[in-house]
Amino acid sequence: LLNNVQVFSSSERRVLVTANLWANALLDGPIDDGFINIRKDLLDDSNAAKDLMDKVKKKLKPLLREGKEAPSQFTWPQKMPEPYIVIKRVVELMNYHQKIMEYNVTHGNFEKLQTKWCSGEDPELFVERWNKLFKEFITVEKVDPSKISELYDTMKFDALHNREFLEKIFQPVSEVERPSDSLLIDEYPEHLKLFVKNNDIPNAPPHTHSFLFNEQIFKYLRELYKLSQVLFDFICPQEYGITQNEKLEIGLLTSVPLGKKIISDLNEMIVNDKPGCVTYFTKESHMYTLLNILYESNIQFYINRNDLPELDYLSQIIFELYEDSSGKNHSIRFKLSPGCHTQDPLDVELDDKHYISCIPKISLTKHLDFDLVSQRLKSKFKKVNLPKKFTAVNISSPLSDPK
């Protein structure tokens, strides 16, 4: 198998770095120059679905207005109030934390709150990033739904990589009035209730564990993270289509070249009667859109689309090809790993490298006849006409750069 490995990558630096690290580890590197094939046409963002995605995003903003209930096809916790109440609370919490950060920046030597930084970060960049975010959440009316994912990604990134600074820069002060105590979520995850200090939660048992953010004063920061996660799950997957037709069309416009390449590579393995491993390194947008194509291709899945886990760094969609003993019949099975994900980044214990292991992959389907699946996917591929001229759109984010 290792004698027949191909690696394709987006041209974006963070993706290409990940592909290099993975290939070196798999093949006990170093790999040769040119081993990784950069395919902008397959794996970079493109403008093919831009117009349709812009229309979809315009339909998302009204869902955050007062009196609008979460649509049934969206992911939304059962006991959570309507999205407007949640986004209103997020705005309140953002305004509160902005005042705290301003105070702690101007009333202390904030540059020394954290001595060790990674990913090219520093105190000034941290403050700059958050100030840009605060401007997006001044009022409920001005919130752009697309900024919700930016808020969630920022909180998750800083909880994992800048935890010490996050704790100290948002350390509440008496000079800043606190928001109301009507929390929309539990103050602590269930597992933490066993370990917080006795005077924080009544009747809590003795403990010897120590967690950052385990004080009552950080309950608003915890709430902000949890509510941003709720809104992220509500909004982010819908940016690639709200209706089934939109999901399919955006999926096809974005990922048809990749889908065709995958099917072609699988057929080539069958023809050559040779096992192989072909990997494609790309971005979140291609993963969501590829999944939408699969889910709209009359394939039976074990897991409903709305129940799929959040896709995190190193998420994987796996196409496993099998051959029976006769060599004439082939089956395919789809699997998924949400990558390096943790439910509670504010609490997970990290080493000096901030290492989080990948969640094991799960089966999305049983073994399916490969010819049938290939036929159904190809029938969907024909439903759109891609622009004759491909325009790659390379958007990088400092939050996602590798350590």
Side-chain angles (χ1 to χ4, degrees), residues 153 156 232 283-284 286-289 291 308-317 336-341:
D153 287 343
K156 189 166 57 173
F232 174 86
K283 297 173 62 178
E284 179 185 56
H286 275 287
M287 298 197 69
Y288 276 111
T289 50
L291 281 171
L308 289 173
E310 174 191 334
L311 301 182
D312 221 316
Y313 180 68
L314 286 182
S315 291
Q316 305 147 50
I317 303 172
L336 175 73
S337 167
C340 304
H341 181 70

mmCIF file with all atom_site columns, all heavy atoms in Angstrom, residues 153 156 232 283-284 286-289 291 308-317 336-341:
data_model
loop_
_atom_site.group_PDB
_atom_site.id
_atom_site.type_symbol
_atom_site.label_atom_id
_atom_site.label_alt_id
_atom_site.label_comp_id
_atom_site.label_asym_id
_atom_site.label_entity_id
_atom_site.label_seq_id
_atom_site.pdbx_PDB_ins_code
_atom_site.Cartn_x
_atom_site.Cartn_y
_atom_site.Cartn_z
_atom_site.occupancy
_atom_site.B_iso_or_equiv
_atom_site.pdbx_formal_charge
_atom_site.auth_seq_id
_atom_site.auth_comp_id
_atom_site.auth_asym_id
_atom_site.auth_atom_id
_atom_site.pdbx_PDB_model_num
ATOM 1   N N   . ASP A 1 153 ? -14.439 30.204 16.372 1.00 0.00 ? 153 ASP A N   1
ATOM 2   C CA  . ASP A 1 153 ? -13.086 29.734 16.058 1.00 0.00 ? 153 ASP A CA  1
ATOM 3   C C   . ASP A 1 153 ? -12.040 30.473 16.897 1.00 0.00 ? 153 ASP A C   1
ATOM 4   O O   . ASP A 1 153 ? -11.049 29.880 17.338 1.00 0.00 ? 153 ASP A O   1
ATOM 5   C CB  . ASP A 1 153 ? -12.786 29.939 14.572 1.00 0.00 ? 153 ASP A CB  1
ATOM 6   C CG  . ASP A 1 153 ? -13.532 28.957 13.684 1.00 0.00 ? 153 ASP A CG  1
ATOM 7   O OD1 . ASP A 1 153 ? -14.007 27.935 14.204 1.00 0.00 ? 153 ASP A OD1 1
ATOM 8   O OD2 . ASP A 1 153 ? -13.655 29.220 12.473 1.00 0.00 ? 153 ASP A OD2 1
ATOM 9   N N   . LYS A 1 156 ? -12.127 29.181 20.506 1.00 0.00 ? 156 LYS A N   1
ATOM 10  C CA  . LYS A 1 156 ? -11.571 27.832 20.559 1.00 0.00 ? 156 LYS A CA  1
ATOM 11  C C   . LYS A 1 156 ? -10.047 27.868 20.398 1.00 0.00 ? 156 LYS A C   1
ATOM 12  O O   . LYS A 1 156 ? -9.321  27.193 21.139 1.00 0.00 ? 156 LYS A O   1
ATOM 13  C CB  . LYS A 1 156 ? -12.222 26.974 19.474 1.00 0.00 ? 156 LYS A CB  1
ATOM 14  C CG  . LYS A 1 156 ? -11.905 25.504 19.555 1.00 0.00 ? 156 LYS A CG  1
ATOM 15  C CD  . LYS A 1 156 ? -12.853 24.696 18.681 1.00 0.00 ? 156 LYS A CD  1
ATOM 16  C CE  . LYS A 1 156 ? -12.842 25.134 17.249 1.00 0.00 ? 156 LYS A CE  1
ATOM 17  N NZ  . LYS A 1 156 ? -13.639 24.251 16.375 1.00 0.00 ? 156 LYS A NZ  1
ATOM 18  N N   . PHE A 1 232 ? -22.879 28.720 16.228 1.00 0.00 ? 232 PHE A N   1
ATOM 19  C CA  . PHE A 1 232 ? -22.046 28.156 15.164 1.00 0.00 ? 232 PHE A CA  1
ATOM 20  C C   . PHE A 1 232 ? -22.717 26.923 14.562 1.00 0.00 ? 232 PHE A C   1
ATOM 21  O O   . PHE A 1 232 ? -22.814 26.788 13.338 1.00 0.00 ? 232 PHE A O   1
ATOM 22  C CB  . PHE A 1 232 ? -20.675 27.786 15.722 1.00 0.00 ? 232 PHE A CB  1
ATOM 23  C CG  . PHE A 1 232 ? -19.787 27.053 14.742 1.00 0.00 ? 232 PHE A CG  1
ATOM 24  C CD1 . PHE A 1 232 ? -18.997 27.754 13.851 1.00 0.00 ? 232 PHE A CD1 1
ATOM 25  C CD2 . PHE A 1 232 ? -19.741 25.668 14.729 1.00 0.00 ? 232 PHE A CD2 1
ATOM 26  C CE1 . PHE A 1 232 ? -18.178 27.085 12.946 1.00 0.00 ? 232 PHE A CE1 1
ATOM 27  C CE2 . PHE A 1 232 ? -18.936 24.995 13.822 1.00 0.00 ? 232 PHE A CE2 1
ATOM 28  C CZ  . PHE A 1 232 ? -18.152 25.703 12.928 1.00 0.00 ? 232 PHE A CZ  1
ATOM 29  N N   . LYS A 1 283 ? -9.807  22.477 2.514  1.00 0.00 ? 283 LYS A N   1
ATOM 30  C CA  . LYS A 1 283 ? -10.359 23.302 3.585  1.00 0.00 ? 283 LYS A CA  1
ATOM 31  C C   . LYS A 1 283 ? -11.757 22.837 3.961  1.00 0.00 ? 283 LYS A C   1
ATOM 32  O O   . LYS A 1 283 ? -12.378 22.021 3.285  1.00 0.00 ? 283 LYS A O   1
ATOM 33  C CB  . LYS A 1 283 ? -10.382 24.767 3.154  1.00 0.00 ? 283 LYS A CB  1
ATOM 34  C CG  . LYS A 1 283 ? -9.007  25.356 2.892  1.00 0.00 ? 283 LYS A CG  1
ATOM 35  C CD  . LYS A 1 283 ? -9.097  26.751 2.300  1.00 0.00 ? 283 LYS A CD  1
ATOM 36  C CE  . LYS A 1 283 ? -9.785  27.709 3.234  1.00 0.00 ? 283 LYS A CE  1
ATOM 37  N NZ  . LYS A 1 283 ? -9.827  29.091 2.684  1.00 0.00 ? 283 LYS A NZ  1
ATOM 38  N N   . GLU A 1 284 ? -12.247 23.429 5.035  1.00 0.00 ? 284 GLU A N   1
ATOM 39  C CA  . GLU A 1 284 ? -13.565 23.086 5.571  1.00 0.00 ? 284 GLU A CA  1
ATOM 40  C C   . GLU A 1 284 ? -14.663 23.220 4.521  1.00 0.00 ? 284 GLU A C   1
ATOM 41  O O   . GLU A 1 284 ? -15.574 22.388 4.449  1.00 0.00 ? 284 GLU A O   1
ATOM 42  C CB  . GLU A 1 284 ? -13.853 24.004 6.758  1.00 0.00 ? 284 GLU A CB  1
ATOM 43  C CG  . GLU A 1 284 ? -15.204 23.799 7.419  1.00 0.00 ? 284 GLU A CG  1
ATOM 44  C CD  . GLU A 1 284 ? -15.450 24.827 8.501  1.00 0.00 ? 284 GLU A CD  1
ATOM 45  O OE1 . GLU A 1 284 ? -15.392 26.044 8.213  1.00 0.00 ? 284 GLU A OE1 1
ATOM 46  O OE2 . GLU A 1 284 ? -15.702 24.427 9.642  1.00 0.00 ? 284 GLU A OE2 1
ATOM 47  N N   . HIS A 1 286 ? -14.714 22.708 1.342  1.00 0.00 ? 286 HIS A N   1
ATOM 48  C CA  . HIS A 1 286 ? -14.811 21.552 0.444  1.00 0.00 ? 286 HIS A CA  1
ATOM 49  C C   . HIS A 1 286 ? -15.349 20.325 1.175  1.00 0.00 ? 286 HIS A C   1
ATOM 50  O O   . HIS A 1 286 ? -16.008 19.476 0.562  1.00 0.00 ? 286 HIS A O   1
ATOM 51  C CB  . HIS A 1 286 ? -13.440 21.237 -0.164 1.00 0.00 ? 286 HIS A CB  1
ATOM 52  C CG  . HIS A 1 286 ? -13.134 22.043 -1.390 1.00 0.00 ? 286 HIS A CG  1
ATOM 53  N ND1 . HIS A 1 286 ? -13.732 21.818 -2.600 1.00 0.00 ? 286 HIS A ND1 1
ATOM 54  C CD2 . HIS A 1 286 ? -12.307 23.094 -1.587 1.00 0.00 ? 286 HIS A CD2 1
ATOM 55  C CE1 . HIS A 1 286 ? -13.277 22.672 -3.494 1.00 0.00 ? 286 HIS A CE1 1
ATOM 56  N NE2 . HIS A 1 286 ? -12.403 23.465 -2.898 1.00 0.00 ? 286 HIS A NE2 1
ATOM 57  N N   . MET A 1 287 ? -15.087 20.218 2.466  1.00 0.00 ? 287 MET A N   1
ATOM 58  C CA  . MET A 1 287 ? -15.557 19.050 3.203  1.00 0.00 ? 287 MET A CA  1
ATOM 59  C C   . MET A 1 287 ? -17.072 19.107 3.402  1.00 0.00 ? 287 MET A C   1
ATOM 60  O O   . MET A 1 287 ? -17.772 18.106 3.205  1.00 0.00 ? 287 MET A O   1
ATOM 61  C CB  . MET A 1 287 ? -14.833 18.950 4.541  1.00 0.00 ? 287 MET A CB  1
ATOM 62  C CG  . MET A 1 287 ? -13.338 18.768 4.409  1.00 0.00 ? 287 MET A CG  1
ATOM 63  S SD  . MET A 1 287 ? -12.541 18.167 5.893  1.00 0.00 ? 287 MET A SD  1
ATOM 64  C CE  . MET A 1 287 ? -13.150 16.495 5.993  1.00 0.00 ? 287 MET A CE  1
ATOM 65  N N   . TYR A 1 288 ? -17.580 20.265 3.788  1.00 0.00 ? 288 TYR A N   1
ATOM 66  C CA  . TYR A 1 288 ? -19.027 20.403 3.940  1.00 0.00 ? 288 TYR A CA  1
ATOM 67  C C   . TYR A 1 288 ? -19.753 20.196 2.616  1.00 0.00 ? 288 TYR A C   1
ATOM 68  O O   . TYR A 1 288 ? -20.790 19.522 2.551  1.00 0.00 ? 288 TYR A O   1
ATOM 69  C CB  . TYR A 1 288 ? -19.381 21.781 4.505  1.00 0.00 ? 288 TYR A CB  1
ATOM 70  C CG  . TYR A 1 288 ? -19.301 21.870 6.020  1.00 0.00 ? 288 TYR A CG  1
ATOM 71  C CD1 . TYR A 1 288 ? -18.313 22.637 6.635  1.00 0.00 ? 288 TYR A CD1 1
ATOM 72  C CD2 . TYR A 1 288 ? -20.211 21.195 6.823  1.00 0.00 ? 288 TYR A CD2 1
ATOM 73  C CE1 . TYR A 1 288 ? -18.237 22.725 8.021  1.00 0.00 ? 288 TYR A CE1 1
ATOM 74  C CE2 . TYR A 1 288 ? -20.138 21.280 8.208  1.00 0.00 ? 288 TYR A CE2 1
ATOM 75  C CZ  . TYR A 1 288 ? -19.152 22.042 8.802  1.00 0.00 ? 288 TYR A CZ  1
ATOM 76  O OH  . TYR A 1 288 ? -19.078 22.122 10.169 1.00 0.00 ? 288 TYR A OH  1
ATOM 77  N N   . THR A 1 289 ? -19.213 20.773 1.550  1.00 0.00 ? 289 THR A N   1
ATOM 78  C CA  . THR A 1 289 ? -19.886 20.660 0.257  1.00 0.00 ? 289 THR A CA  1
ATOM 79  C C   . THR A 1 289 ? -19.797 19.243 -0.311 1.00 0.00 ? 289 THR A C   1
ATOM 80  O O   . THR A 1 289 ? -20.746 18.763 -0.938 1.00 0.00 ? 289 THR A O   1
ATOM 81  C CB  . THR A 1 289 ? -19.298 21.670 -0.744 1.00 0.00 ? 289 THR A CB  1
ATOM 82  O OG1 . THR A 1 289 ? -17.863 21.573 -0.749 1.00 0.00 ? 289 THR A OG1 1
ATOM 83  C CG2 . THR A 1 289 ? -19.678 23.091 -0.352 1.00 0.00 ? 289 THR A CG2 1
ATOM 84  N N   . LEU A 1 291 ? -19.669 16.507 1.533  1.00 0.00 ? 291 LEU A N   1
ATOM 85  C CA  . LEU A 1 291 ? -20.649 15.754 2.313  1.00 0.00 ? 291 LEU A CA  1
ATOM 86  C C   . LEU A 1 291 ? -22.072 16.015 1.815  1.00 0.00 ? 291 LEU A C   1
ATOM 87  O O   . LEU A 1 291 ? -22.900 15.100 1.756  1.00 0.00 ? 291 LEU A O   1
ATOM 88  C CB  . LEU A 1 291 ? -20.541 16.110 3.798  1.00 0.00 ? 291 LEU A CB  1
ATOM 89  C CG  . LEU A 1 291 ? -19.405 15.452 4.576  1.00 0.00 ? 291 LEU A CG  1
ATOM 90  C CD1 . LEU A 1 291 ? -19.279 16.067 5.959  1.00 0.00 ? 291 LEU A CD1 1
ATOM 91  C CD2 . LEU A 1 291 ? -19.629 13.942 4.701  1.00 0.00 ? 291 LEU A CD2 1
ATOM 92  N N   . LEU A 1 308 ? -24.311 15.120 12.277 1.00 0.00 ? 308 LEU A N   1
ATOM 93  C CA  . LEU A 1 308 ? -22.877 14.974 12.049 1.00 0.00 ? 308 LEU A CA  1
ATOM 94  C C   . LEU A 1 308 ? -22.106 15.853 13.032 1.00 0.00 ? 308 LEU A C   1
ATOM 95  O O   . LEU A 1 308 ? -22.540 16.958 13.356 1.00 0.00 ? 308 LEU A O   1
ATOM 96  C CB  . LEU A 1 308 ? -22.512 15.376 10.613 1.00 0.00 ? 308 LEU A CB  1
ATOM 97  C CG  . LEU A 1 308 ? -22.963 14.438 9.498  1.00 0.00 ? 308 LEU A CG  1
ATOM 98  C CD1 . LEU A 1 308 ? -22.667 15.060 8.142  1.00 0.00 ? 308 LEU A CD1 1
ATOM 99  C CD2 . LEU A 1 308 ? -22.274 13.080 9.615  1.00 0.00 ? 308 LEU A CD2 1
ATOM 100 N N   . PRO A 1 309 ? -20.967 15.389 13.508 1.00 0.00 ? 309 PRO A N   1
ATOM 101 C CA  . PRO A 1 309 ? -20.178 16.200 14.446 1.00 0.00 ? 309 PRO A CA  1
ATOM 102 C C   . PRO A 1 309 ? -19.552 17.399 13.748 1.00 0.00 ? 309 PRO A C   1
ATOM 103 O O   . PRO A 1 309 ? -19.452 17.443 12.510 1.00 0.00 ? 309 PRO A O   1
ATOM 104 C CB  . PRO A 1 309 ? -19.113 15.218 14.943 1.00 0.00 ? 309 PRO A CB  1
ATOM 105 C CG  . PRO A 1 309 ? -18.959 14.229 13.830 1.00 0.00 ? 309 PRO A CG  1
ATOM 106 C CD  . PRO A 1 309 ? -20.327 14.082 13.229 1.00 0.00 ? 309 PRO A CD  1
ATOM 107 N N   . GLU A 1 310 ? -19.138 18.353 14.534 1.00 0.00 ? 310 GLU A N   1
ATOM 108 C CA  . GLU A 1 310 ? -18.425 19.520 14.021 1.00 0.00 ? 310 GLU A CA  1
ATOM 109 C C   . GLU A 1 310 ? -17.106 19.077 13.390 1.00 0.00 ? 310 GLU A C   1
ATOM 110 O O   . GLU A 1 310 ? -16.391 18.244 13.947 1.00 0.00 ? 310 GLU A O   1
ATOM 111 C CB  . GLU A 1 310 ? -18.168 20.488 15.174 1.00 0.00 ? 310 GLU A CB  1
ATOM 112 C CG  . GLU A 1 310 ? -17.308 21.670 14.822 1.00 0.00 ? 310 GLU A CG  1
ATOM 113 C CD  . GLU A 1 310 ? -16.886 22.437 16.061 1.00 0.00 ? 310 GLU A CD  1
ATOM 114 O OE1 . GLU A 1 310 ? -17.610 22.375 17.080 1.00 0.00 ? 310 GLU A OE1 1
ATOM 115 O OE2 . GLU A 1 310 ? -15.817 23.078 16.027 1.00 0.00 ? 310 GLU A OE2 1
ATOM 116 N N   . LEU A 1 311 ? -16.812 19.624 12.221 1.00 0.00 ? 311 LEU A N   1
ATOM 117 C CA  . LEU A 1 311 ? -15.564 19.287 11.536 1.00 0.00 ? 311 LEU A CA  1
ATOM 118 C C   . LEU A 1 311 ? -14.456 20.198 12.042 1.00 0.00 ? 311 LEU A C   1
ATOM 119 O O   . LEU A 1 311 ? -14.538 21.416 11.920 1.00 0.00 ? 311 LEU A O   1
ATOM 120 C CB  . LEU A 1 311 ? -15.727 19.436 10.026 1.00 0.00 ? 311 LEU A CB  1
ATOM 121 C CG  . LEU A 1 311 ? -16.811 18.568 9.378  1.00 0.00 ? 311 LEU A CG  1
ATOM 122 C CD1 . LEU A 1 311 ? -16.825 18.775 7.879  1.00 0.00 ? 311 LEU A CD1 1
ATOM 123 C CD2 . LEU A 1 311 ? -16.621 17.098 9.718  1.00 0.00 ? 311 LEU A CD2 1
ATOM 124 N N   . ASP A 1 312 ? -13.401 19.610 12.580 1.00 0.00 ? 312 ASP A N   1
ATOM 125 C CA  . ASP A 1 312 ? -12.315 20.378 13.169 1.00 0.00 ? 312 ASP A CA  1
ATOM 126 C C   . ASP A 1 312 ? -11.035 20.123 12.385 1.00 0.00 ? 312 ASP A C   1
ATOM 127 O O   . ASP A 1 312 ? -11.034 19.441 11.359 1.00 0.00 ? 312 ASP A O   1
ATOM 128 C CB  . ASP A 1 312 ? -12.139 19.993 14.644 1.00 0.00 ? 312 ASP A CB  1
ATOM 129 C CG  . ASP A 1 312 ? -11.874 21.198 15.533 1.00 0.00 ? 312 ASP A CG  1
ATOM 130 O OD1 . ASP A 1 312 ? -11.060 22.043 15.118 1.00 0.00 ? 312 ASP A OD1 1
ATOM 131 O OD2 . ASP A 1 312 ? -12.470 21.280 16.616 1.00 0.00 ? 312 ASP A OD2 1
ATOM 132 N N   . TYR A 1 313 ? -9.922  20.655 12.902 1.00 0.00 ? 313 TYR A N   1
ATOM 133 C CA  . TYR A 1 313 ? -8.625  20.484 12.236 1.00 0.00 ? 313 TYR A CA  1
ATOM 134 C C   . TYR A 1 313 ? -8.305  18.997 12.056 1.00 0.00 ? 313 TYR A C   1
ATOM 135 O O   . TYR A 1 313 ? -8.489  18.189 12.968 1.00 0.00 ? 313 TYR A O   1
ATOM 136 C CB  . TYR A 1 313 ? -7.532  21.154 13.077 1.00 0.00 ? 313 TYR A CB  1
ATOM 137 C CG  . TYR A 1 313 ? -6.146  21.058 12.498 1.00 0.00 ? 313 TYR A CG  1
ATOM 138 C CD1 . TYR A 1 313 ? -5.829  21.742 11.322 1.00 0.00 ? 313 TYR A CD1 1
ATOM 139 C CD2 . TYR A 1 313 ? -5.158  20.302 13.104 1.00 0.00 ? 313 TYR A CD2 1
ATOM 140 C CE1 . TYR A 1 313 ? -4.559  21.670 10.773 1.00 0.00 ? 313 TYR A CE1 1
ATOM 141 C CE2 . TYR A 1 313 ? -3.878  20.225 12.566 1.00 0.00 ? 313 TYR A CE2 1
ATOM 142 C CZ  . TYR A 1 313 ? -3.591  20.913 11.403 1.00 0.00 ? 313 TYR A CZ  1
ATOM 143 O OH  . TYR A 1 313 ? -2.331  20.834 10.856 1.00 0.00 ? 313 TYR A OH  1
ATOM 144 N N   . LEU A 1 314 ? -7.846  18.628 10.867 1.00 0.00 ? 314 LEU A N   1
ATOM 145 C CA  . LEU A 1 314 ? -7.534  17.244 10.483 1.00 0.00 ? 314 LEU A CA  1
ATOM 146 C C   . LEU A 1 314 ? -8.770  16.354 10.390 1.00 0.00 ? 314 LEU A C   1
ATOM 147 O O   . LEU A 1 314 ? -8.676  15.137 10.528 1.00 0.00 ? 314 LEU A O   1
ATOM 148 C CB  . LEU A 1 314 ? -6.503  16.607 11.435 1.00 0.00 ? 314 LEU A CB  1
ATOM 149 C CG  . LEU A 1 314 ? -5.066  17.088 11.283 1.00 0.00 ? 314 LEU A CG  1
ATOM 150 C CD1 . LEU A 1 314 ? -4.155  16.334 12.251 1.00 0.00 ? 314 LEU A CD1 1
ATOM 151 C CD2 . LEU A 1 314 ? -4.556  16.919 9.853  1.00 0.00 ? 314 LEU A CD2 1
ATOM 152 N N   . SER A 1 315 ? -9.934  16.958 10.154 1.00 0.00 ? 315 SER A N   1
ATOM 153 C CA  . SER A 1 315 ? -11.123 16.145 9.860  1.00 0.00 ? 315 SER A CA  1
ATOM 154 C C   . SER A 1 315 ? -10.877 15.335 8.592  1.00 0.00 ? 315 SER A C   1
ATOM 155 O O   . SER A 1 315 ? -10.138 15.751 7.702  1.00 0.00 ? 315 SER A O   1
ATOM 156 C CB  . SER A 1 315 ? -12.348 17.044 9.665  1.00 0.00 ? 315 SER A CB  1
ATOM 157 O OG  . SER A 1 315 ? -12.736 17.660 10.865 1.00 0.00 ? 315 SER A OG  1
ATOM 158 N N   . GLN A 1 316 ? -11.531 14.183 8.522  1.00 0.00 ? 316 GLN A N   1
ATOM 159 C CA  . GLN A 1 316 ? -11.289 13.278 7.396  1.00 0.00 ? 316 GLN A CA  1
ATOM 160 C C   . GLN A 1 316 ? -12.606 12.679 6.898  1.00 0.00 ? 316 GLN A C   1
ATOM 161 O O   . GLN A 1 316 ? -13.423 12.240 7.698  1.00 0.00 ? 316 GLN A O   1
ATOM 162 C CB  . GLN A 1 316 ? -10.386 12.121 7.832  1.00 0.00 ? 316 GLN A CB  1
ATOM 163 C CG  . GLN A 1 316 ? -9.070  12.547 8.456  1.00 0.00 ? 316 GLN A CG  1
ATOM 164 C CD  . GLN A 1 316 ? -8.619  11.575 9.517  1.00 0.00 ? 316 GLN A CD  1
ATOM 165 O OE1 . GLN A 1 316 ? -8.583  10.371 9.299  1.00 0.00 ? 316 GLN A OE1 1
ATOM 166 N NE2 . GLN A 1 316 ? -8.280  12.089 10.697 1.00 0.00 ? 316 GLN A NE2 1
ATOM 167 N N   . ILE A 1 317 ? -12.789 12.707 5.588  1.00 0.00 ? 317 ILE A N   1
ATOM 168 C CA  . ILE A 1 317 ? -13.845 11.918 4.922  1.00 0.00 ? 317 ILE A CA  1
ATOM 169 C C   . ILE A 1 317 ? -13.123 10.802 4.191  1.00 0.00 ? 317 ILE A C   1
ATOM 170 O O   . ILE A 1 317 ? -12.246 11.061 3.359  1.00 0.00 ? 317 ILE A O   1
ATOM 171 C CB  . ILE A 1 317 ? -14.653 12.768 3.934  1.00 0.00 ? 317 ILE A CB  1
ATOM 172 C CG1 . ILE A 1 317 ? -15.261 13.987 4.642  1.00 0.00 ? 317 ILE A CG1 1
ATOM 173 C CG2 . ILE A 1 317 ? -15.762 11.922 3.307  1.00 0.00 ? 317 ILE A CG2 1
ATOM 174 C CD1 . ILE A 1 317 ? -15.905 14.970 3.684  1.00 0.00 ? 317 ILE A CD1 1
ATOM 175 N N   . LEU A 1 336 ? -15.980 8.810  8.576  1.00 0.00 ? 336 LEU A N   1
ATOM 176 C CA  . LEU A 1 336 ? -15.730 10.208 8.919  1.00 0.00 ? 336 LEU A CA  1
ATOM 177 C C   . LEU A 1 336 ? -15.036 10.292 10.271 1.00 0.00 ? 336 LEU A C   1
ATOM 178 O O   . LEU A 1 336 ? -15.385 9.565  11.203 1.00 0.00 ? 336 LEU A O   1
ATOM 179 C CB  . LEU A 1 336 ? -17.056 10.978 8.981  1.00 0.00 ? 336 LEU A CB  1
ATOM 180 C CG  . LEU A 1 336 ? -16.989 12.441 9.449  1.00 0.00 ? 336 LEU A CG  1
ATOM 181 C CD1 . LEU A 1 336 ? -16.386 13.322 8.355  1.00 0.00 ? 336 LEU A CD1 1
ATOM 182 C CD2 . LEU A 1 336 ? -18.371 12.958 9.838  1.00 0.00 ? 336 LEU A CD2 1
ATOM 183 N N   . SER A 1 337 ? -14.062 11.187 10.357 1.00 0.00 ? 337 SER A N   1
ATOM 184 C CA  . SER A 1 337 ? -13.488 11.575 11.647 1.00 0.00 ? 337 SER A CA  1
ATOM 185 C C   . SER A 1 337 ? -13.600 13.083 11.765 1.00 0.00 ? 337 SER A C   1
ATOM 186 O O   . SER A 1 337 ? -13.232 13.801 10.830 1.00 0.00 ? 337 SER A O   1
ATOM 187 C CB  . SER A 1 337 ? -12.024 11.160 11.767 1.00 0.00 ? 337 SER A CB  1
ATOM 188 O OG  . SER A 1 337 ? -11.424 11.811 12.897 1.00 0.00 ? 337 SER A OG  1
ATOM 189 N N   . PRO A 1 338 ? -14.109 13.599 12.896 1.00 0.00 ? 338 PRO A N   1
ATOM 190 C CA  . PRO A 1 338 ? -14.183 15.053 13.074 1.00 0.00 ? 338 PRO A CA  1
ATOM 191 C C   . PRO A 1 338 ? -12.847 15.687 13.412 1.00 0.00 ? 338 PRO A C   1
ATOM 192 O O   . PRO A 1 338 ? -12.777 16.873 13.714 1.00 0.00 ? 338 PRO A O   1
ATOM 193 C CB  . PRO A 1 338 ? -15.191 15.210 14.219 1.00 0.00 ? 338 PRO A CB  1
ATOM 194 C CG  . PRO A 1 338 ? -15.116 13.941 14.980 1.00 0.00 ? 338 PRO A CG  1
ATOM 195 C CD  . PRO A 1 338 ? -14.756 12.862 13.991 1.00 0.00 ? 338 PRO A CD  1
ATOM 196 N N   . GLY A 1 339 ? -11.780 14.904 13.379 1.00 0.00 ? 339 GLY A N   1
ATOM 197 C CA  . GLY A 1 339 ? -10.445 15.455 13.561 1.00 0.00 ? 339 GLY A CA  1
ATOM 198 C C   . GLY A 1 339 ? -10.081 15.705 15.013 1.00 0.00 ? 339 GLY A C   1
ATOM 199 O O   . GLY A 1 339 ? -10.547 15.014 15.923 1.00 0.00 ? 339 GLY A O   1
ATOM 200 N N   . CYS A 1 340 ? -9.234  16.708 15.219 1.00 0.00 ? 340 CYS A N   1
ATOM 201 C CA  . CYS A 1 340 ? -8.728  17.024 16.564 1.00 0.00 ? 340 CYS A CA  1
ATOM 202 C C   . CYS A 1 340 ? -9.725  17.923 17.268 1.00 0.00 ? 340 CYS A C   1
ATOM 203 O O   . CYS A 1 340 ? -9.601  19.150 17.269 1.00 0.00 ? 340 CYS A O   1
ATOM 204 C CB  . CYS A 1 340 ? -7.364  17.706 16.467 1.00 0.00 ? 340 CYS A CB  1
ATOM 205 S SG  . CYS A 1 340 ? -6.147  16.758 15.560 1.00 0.00 ? 340 CYS A SG  1
ATOM 206 N N   . HIS A 1 341 ? -10.694 17.315 17.873 1.00 0.00 ? 341 HIS A N   1
ATOM 207 C CA  . HIS A 1 341 ? -11.811 18.069 18.449 1.00 0.00 ? 341 HIS A CA  1
ATOM 208 C C   . HIS A 1 341 ? -11.962 17.740 19.926 1.00 0.00 ? 341 HIS A C   1
ATOM 209 O O   . HIS A 1 341 ? -11.741 16.604 20.347 1.00 0.00 ? 341 HIS A O   1
ATOM 210 C CB  . HIS A 1 341 ? -13.117 17.734 17.722 1.00 0.00 ? 341 HIS A CB  1
ATOM 211 C CG  . HIS A 1 341 ? -14.299 18.486 18.230 1.00 0.00 ? 341 HIS A CG  1
ATOM 212 N ND1 . HIS A 1 341 ? -14.476 19.836 18.030 1.00 0.00 ? 341 HIS A ND1 1
ATOM 213 C CD2 . HIS A 1 341 ? -15.384 18.066 18.946 1.00 0.00 ? 341 HIS A CD2 1
ATOM 214 C CE1 . HIS A 1 341 ? -15.605 20.223 18.603 1.00 0.00 ? 341 HIS A CE1 1
ATOM 215 N NE2 . HIS A 1 341 ? -16.166 19.170 19.161 1.00 0.00 ? 341 HIS A NE2 1
#
